[in-house]
Amino acid sequence: PMVKIGDFEAKICVGDQPLKEIHHGGKIYVVTEYDTPVSYKVWVEDESPFGEVERQYWPYTPFEVLVMFHQPLADYLCVTIRIDGVDASQKIVQGTEQSIRVQGIQGALGHDSDLKQFFFSPPRPVKKLRSGEHDPNDKIASERLLDLGSVVVSIRKATLSHSNQVVRGASAVNFADANKKVKNSPSSSK
């Protein structure tokens, strides 16, 4: 298991299968391919600094986070999932729930049709301006660099203070794909 603490366990899955794990330096890494049965390619168009449109297919491999509870829950728990340093999901669980699967960020009103899927993809080059400089609007903030490629699952005891229906606006799905762009370098590969 990716992480198992007491009666809780978390895994990263692709196509309902847990990914291979590598334990190194106190961290756990997962390995995935871009040609799994559930992988797909997206037609990507980027404009070069000289106004030329570059088109190519870019591989995407969707994944989900599976959190399992091996004993009935006596307390309410708050499960928070952070992807690339950004809060991606938060769920309150209680009672007989044995697991939760989180496939992405829910859109407005929590409809699956508005789901912004989690996925792995290779990094894409940062756009350059005509001057040859990297476009400052096409890269993530430096304070988020250490969180790139991270999936963090936090489980903590929750106290129910009140109950009501919450409607989230569309702004809740404004999630920037942080780990998809790196500086273009002939020696860099992922």
Side-chain angles (χ1 to χ4, degrees):
M2 181 165 180
V3 177
K4 185 172 184 193
I5 301 173
D7 294 329
F8 310 105
E9 187 175 346
K11 296 180 182 183
I12 306 296
C13 300
V14 169
D16 290 329
Q17 297 298 313
L19 292 178
K20 177 182 175 185
E21 300 169 4
I22 298 173
H23 298 255
H24 178 73
K27 294 185 178 183
I28 303 168
Y29 300 87
V30 293
V31 178
T32 190
E33 302 293 331
Y34 299 123
D35 62 351
T36 70
V38 297
S39 297
Y40 57 95
K41 294 189 179 191
V42 173
W43 188 249
V44 176
E45 294 185 358
D46 286 319
E47 188 173 335
S48 77
F50 305 104
E52 298 171 346
V53 176
E54 300 170 349
R55 297 174 184 96
Q56 61 182 328
Y57 281 106
W58 208 257
Y60 285 64
T61 299
F63 72 89
E64 64 186 11
V65 179
L66 173 63
V67 180
M68 294 176 286
F69 312 103
H70 297 294
Q71 297 290 326
L73 303 174
D75 297 313
Y76 285 95
L77 297 178
C78 178
V79 179
T80 304
I81 297 173
R82 293 177 58 85
I83 307 286
D84 295 333
V86 176
D87 286 341
S89 177
Q90 189 171 67
K91 294 188 180 286
I92 302 295
V93 295
Q94 194 270 335
T96 59
E97 287 190 73
Q98 294 181 329
S99 67
I100 59 169
R101 289 182 179 271
V102 181
Q103 298 174 326
I105 301 170
Q106 290 290 335
L109 305 177
H111 293 293
D112 282 342
S113 62
D114 296 333
L115 182 76
K116 186 160 185 179
Q117 177 73 52
F118 297 145
F119 61 86
F120 295 111
S121 74
R124 292 177 51 203
V126 173
K127 292 180 183 174
K128 287 188 177 183
L129 303 172
R130 284 187 183 261
S131 65
E133 297 291 319
H134 292 289
D135 183 348
N137 299 317
D138 194 44
K139 58 184 178 181
I140 66 161
S142 59
E143 62 269 8
R144 287 190 50 209
L145 288 176
L146 293 175
D147 293 323
L148 287 184
S150 67
V151 177
V152 176
V153 178
S154 303
I155 300 173
R156 62 185 187 276
K157 188 174 179 179
T159 303
L160 181 64
S161 63
H162 63 281
S163 178
N164 61 356
Q165 183 177 3
V166 177
V167 177
R168 289 185 288 165
S171 63
V173 298
N174 187 11
F175 180 80
D177 300 328
N179 62 342
K180 307 306 177 247
K181 299 181 180 186
V182 295
K183 288 186 178 178
N184 193 11
S185 166
S187 63
S188 70
S189 63
K190 280 193 173 185

